[in-house]
Amino acid sequence: SIKQLTEPGRPYCDIVMVDKQCRASCSAGFEVASGDSAMYFTCVPNGDFSGWLLTACRKQICKMESLPLGKGVDSSSCEGVEVDGSCSLTCEIGFQGSSTTVTCGTDLAFSGSAPNCQQLPCALESWMEGARVTHTCNDTTMHQKCSTFCKTGYRGNPMHSVCLNESSGVAFKTNPLDA
């Protein structure tokens, strides 16, 4: 009797004759659970293999460096994803866009596309739009700087602002300019 052992997630043996031993390895995307590099099984007269372990092979974890990325993409949910698993790529705080799903293949690489994350501008503070000030802060995005000045006829020190990532979104942090 000849038997071929080829179930996904279980050790793999090429065609083996009865009473012959095979050196088994795991299918693509799986690794030997015991930490050994290979397992040995013997084909018995009823066509099964002796030494069979249900947990002999385990799924491998996908490589994070294979993720499709882009500016503002958050891939933290993909850490530790196993073969045949999937995860969502989303936009970081300060960016907007629709999330996408990627899947881990047996080659340990993710397939799918990254979301198109667009940077959000900082919302103007109410004091920046007062009747007595003018500013350069329209359309300021993350880590960009802008300034606020007194309009002609008013006195005061200019203010320097930076658009920063806050837990609730992007916001300005403001400090007086050094004269």
Side-chain angles (χ1 to χ4, degrees):
S1 161
I2 296 175
K3 181 161 176 129
Q4 189 172 9
L5 181 61
T6 59
E7 297 175 51
R10 297 212 179 157
Y12 174 82
C13 282
D14 285 324
I15 296 173
V16 177
M17 302 286 288
V18 171
D19 294 327
K20 298 292 180 184
Q21 195 175 55
C22 74
R23 181 181 186 270
S25 56
C26 297
S27 305
F30 293 82
E31 62 187 354
V32 178
S34 66
D36 297 331
S37 60
M39 300 159 281
Y40 293 89
F41 298 98
T42 302
C43 183
V44 294
N46 71 358
D48 287 331
F49 285 90
S50 67
W52 183 254
L53 300 173
L54 290 176
T55 58
C57 293
R58 67 174 173 230
K59 290 183 177 183
Q60 290 183 286
I61 294 174
C62 239
K63 298 175 183 172
M64 289 293 285
E65 58 270 13
S66 71
L67 282 167
L69 296 178
K71 186 174 184 178
V73 174
D74 179 0
S75 62
S76 60
S77 74
C78 296
E79 188 74 39
V81 171
E82 296 176 335
V83 169
D84 297 327
S86 61
C87 57
S88 293
L89 297 176
T90 58
C91 295
E92 296 173 341
I93 293 174
F95 293 83
Q96 78 176 16
S98 298
S99 65
T100 60
T101 301
V102 292
T103 303
C104 178
T106 57
D107 59 354
L108 306 184
F110 286 99
S111 62
S113 59
N116 182 12
C117 298
Q118 300 297 315
Q119 212 165 15
L120 294 171
C122 267
L124 295 175
E125 302 285 338
S126 59
W127 63 266
M128 292 176 166
E129 300 184 283
R132 299 176 183 178
V133 296
T134 186
H135 61 82
T136 61
C137 299
N138 287 334
D139 301 318
T140 302
T141 58
M142 287 261 284
H143 305 294
Q144 290 182 329
K145 298 175 184 177
C146 67
S147 298
T148 307
F149 308 94
C150 291
K151 286 185 178 177
T152 304
Y154 297 95
R155 294 177 59 194
N157 290 328
M159 300 291 277
H160 176 70
S161 300
V162 178
C163 182
L164 296 175
N165 185 354
E166 300 291 329
S167 60
S168 59
V170 289
F172 283 110
K173 180 175 180 180
T174 304
N175 293 310
L177 287 175
D178 293 345

